[in-house]
Amino acid sequence: MSILAWTYIMVGLTFSLYIFIAWISRVRDTKGFYVAGGGVPPLANGMATAADWMSAASFISMAGLISFLGYAGSIYLMGWTGGYVLLALLLAPYLRKFGKYTVPDFVGDRYYSDTARFVALVCAIFVSLTYVCGQMRGVGIVFSRFLEVPVNTGVLIGMAIVFFYAGLGGMKGITWTQVAQYTVLITAYLIPAVFISMKIAGTPIPQIGLGSTVQTGQYTGQYLLDVLDKLNTDLGFTAYTQPGAKSMLDVFCITFALMVGTAGLPHVIIRFYTVPSVRAARLSAGYALLFIAILYTTAPAVAAFARYNMIDTINDKPYAEAPSWFKNWEKTGLIAWVDKNNDGIIQYRAGKPFIGKPKFVPGKTGPLGQKIVANKLTSSPNELYVDRDIMVLANPEIANLPNWVIALVAAGGLAAALSTASGLLLVIASSISHDLYYRMINRKATEKQRLLVGRIMIGIAVCIAGYFGINPPGFVAQVVAFAFGLAASSFFPIIVLGIFSARTNREGAICGMLAGIIFTAAYIIYFKFMGGTKDQWLLGISPEGIGTIGMIINFVVTWVVSSMTKEPPKEIQELVSSIRTPRGAGAAVDH
Amino acid sequence: MSKDLKEYWKKNVTFMSFLLVIWAVVSYGCGILFVKPLNAIKIGGFPLGFWFAQQGAIYVFVCLIFVYYAYMQKLDREYDVHE
């Protein structure tokens, strides 16, 4: 059976499953809609959190990124997992004991202020919205490559599916579909990884294969990582396992901003409101990271295998003999080759082959049938452009795996994108319908009205996300730095201080949040959109890492302002001491 | 807060800080700061610093959360604040 037929079967089956789950877990009350009724078992919440967290970027892009960056890619591996330790130790149990519905809920109640609630609300929506646009785009790309439908049609199908199960089931529907989506995505990630590990390293466990010897070809018997170090150095790259030129301080700051940002992302935090107890919150954070770690420790192995495979199969080989996957991806414009020295052989070296993303001259092909690139060429001897995003998607083809495996990867990519999108959409919907509409505008709203507003908001949020998925603004890649930087510099410090320092008051929290956000946003905007240059960086810290400094500013300002103004009211201090002990954590309560 | 609860909280914060030190050592220490010297040591096919950055730190993170869970289970019971 062809890849296309298999893909239709896999995607059809998994989508039917999601719809079926959504139908049986549809809800009628706001508690079910916002926090799944508060009765999700820790193991299920761990799986749902893992699916919620691992997006199209984790599934599709991360291994590709590491493949090209080598050791330097570790910032993503550590940054996107280390945050869960902070979450489990500093936030999750206490927020669960507090037991409301959203992050702005905690901020607004703990700091007895609607201003604080509003600032938190705006941040939550902004962070989630920037994130969700990328997910919709991911859905579109998977559809267009594997089901041969236009990207836009793919985005529309994705929108319809998400709207159906998020609108119908709210958090409850999302939770149980995420459990299913985790199963699909992890299977889809592991099967090709195991196959390739067997092929290259002769062991079914990719984490061990990464440190094993190569089984076939000219490097037989040498350690894979040694071979990669050698290949990279020969072709002019930094050795695979060694740190590059990036300053140590910058690497520190980026990793820290990613960790703290992860712990401060609202769609991850709210998952811990859905479990029945504080004990369950602590435990499910462990399960969540365990399930995430299965993918995150496989990814560097996939990255190394892909790097080896790619260099081994195409570098210094004649274009005429290039494998079929090479030409398939060339058609999509994600691979491009310019024969700079007219020898008909693909030379892959360090450096960019030409300026920018490939733009092809329509309808014209070169003497060997290759597409002709219209971009301005560079002086680098490199002739090959490979988009980093294709490494995971193309890997099964590169390794000649059976068609059903390739189809499974497509279904897995969709599961990763859809599960994250739905979690984010719920944050947007609950922020507006609960925090803004119910808490700040209409305190008398009935259960039914609030549920309706929640569903309408999901609808609107899906449409906005879909619009940006179809017409991606040029700055999507840039805004991801924004999402983490803002989450790190806004929520994290004031939630931590709100729990660990009873003295922190309203004035401190508002000033701290504003100082953190304004500093971080201004820095990112200046360097990403207003043409700031590298030599102007503060202490050599890149915009990706500046959230760390924003976070420190937030901590300091909150602390200083709090100690200069009057202490919080007695009932707030009692609230703080009550969230420090687990007993009495009822189900998440309405208020 | 009663004396008992203060003690409970202090024990919690102390243990948590201890775990966070380990968290920082494996990631920022072994994975970033000392990656070059550690890479000189090889365990099988893995340069050690590289292994910490792409594998080891993540395994340790997972363990830290489960250890904290187990410790707090015990502490909650000891101070009679469990659910």
Side-chain angles (χ1 to χ4, degrees), chain A residues 34 100-109 114 117-118 120-122 124-125 266 270 426-443 450 453 591:
Chain A
Y34 293 135
K100 299 281 171 70
Y101 288 167
T102 64
V103 174
D105 249 351
F106 176 80
V107 176
D109 287 6
D114 271 351
R117 188 190 306 275
F118 187 73
L121 168 76
V122 172
I125 292 175
I270 59 166
L426 192 88
V427 168
I428 299 169
S430 62
S431 294
I432 293 181
S433 67
H434 179 74
D435 297 312
L436 188 68
Y437 174 69
Y438 177 58
R439 296 301 308 262
M440 297 175 77
I441 296 175
N442 182 6
R443 282 297 269 164
R450 289 155 57 199
V453 174
H591 50 152

Side-chain angles (χ1 to χ4, degrees), chain A residues 68 235 306-327 335-337 344-349 382-386 390-391 398:
Chain A
F68 286 91
L235 300 179
R307 178 90 185 152
Y308 170 79
N309 247 338
M310 191 191 86
I311 297 178
D312 191 52
T313 46
I314 53 180
N315 182 41
D316 294 332
K317 301 277 189 311
Y319 178 82
E321 291 165 25
S324 65
W325 63 265
F326 187 89
K327 287 168 187 170
I335 283 183
W337 173 62
I345 292 172
I346 304 165
Q347 268 102 17
Y348 178 56
R349 300 289 181 271
N382 184 19
E383 300 183 336
L384 184 68
Y385 169 89
V386 183
I390 71 173
M391 294 320 291
I398 298 177

Side-chain angles (χ1 to χ4, degrees), chain A residues 71 94 226 278-279 297 583, chain B residues 12 31 42 55 69 82-83:
Chain A
Y71 165 80
Y94 310 107
D226 290 344
V278 173
R279 186 191 74 85
T297 54
R583 182 163 297 166
Chain B
N12 174 14
K42 286 260 209 144
Q55 299 276 310
Y69 168 76
H82 60 282
E83 290 145 294

Side-chain angles (χ1 to χ4, degrees), chain A residues 104-273:
Chain A
D105 249 351
F106 176 80
V107 176
D109 287 6
R110 166 64 182 84
Y111 294 110
Y112 45 102
S113 153
D114 271 351
T115 313
R117 188 190 306 275
F118 187 73
V119 176
L121 168 76
V122 172
C123 290
I125 292 175
F126 183 83
V127 168
S128 305
L129 207 55
T130 49
Y131 223 93
V132 81
C133 298
Q135 303 307 316
M136 282 301 167
R137 192 71 195 160
V139 172
I141 290 173
V142 174
F143 264 104
S144 72
R145 169 63 189 87
F146 290 98
L147 295 175
E148 296 178 10
V149 297
V151 173
N152 295 355
T153 316
V155 172
L156 289 175
I157 298 172
M159 281 166 65
I161 296 277
V162 172
F163 177 69
F164 183 79
Y165 71 71
L168 201 61
M171 189 53 131
K172 196 173 165 204
I174 287 175
T175 302
W176 294 107
T177 25
Q178 281 174 337
V179 170
Q181 282 160 337
Y182 177 76
T183 317
V184 171
L185 81 87
I186 202 69
T187 316
Y189 207 83
L190 290 181
I191 290 182
V194 168
F195 267 115
I196 296 170
S197 180
M198 288 288 283
K199 235 176 195 167
I200 295 179
T203 159
I205 302 165
Q207 286 83 347
I208 294 175
L210 178 61
S212 303
T213 52
V214 177
Q215 297 297 305
T216 52
Q218 57 170 320
Y219 300 106
T220 307
Q222 297 182 37
Y223 283 120
L224 175 67
L225 289 170
D226 290 344
V227 173
L228 285 176
D229 274 350
K230 184 179 171 308
L231 285 173
N232 262 11
T233 322
D234 288 352
L235 300 179
F237 299 89
T238 309
Y240 193 81
T241 60
Q242 299 296 337
K246 238 189 190 127
S247 90
M248 186 91 76
L249 181 66
D250 195 24
V251 173
F252 249 85
C253 284
I254 296 175
T255 311
F256 200 77
L258 292 178
M259 285 188 182
V260 176
T262 305
L265 283 176
H267 71 288
V268 177
I269 293 179
I270 59 166
R271 288 238 47 97
F272 294 94
Y273 289 120

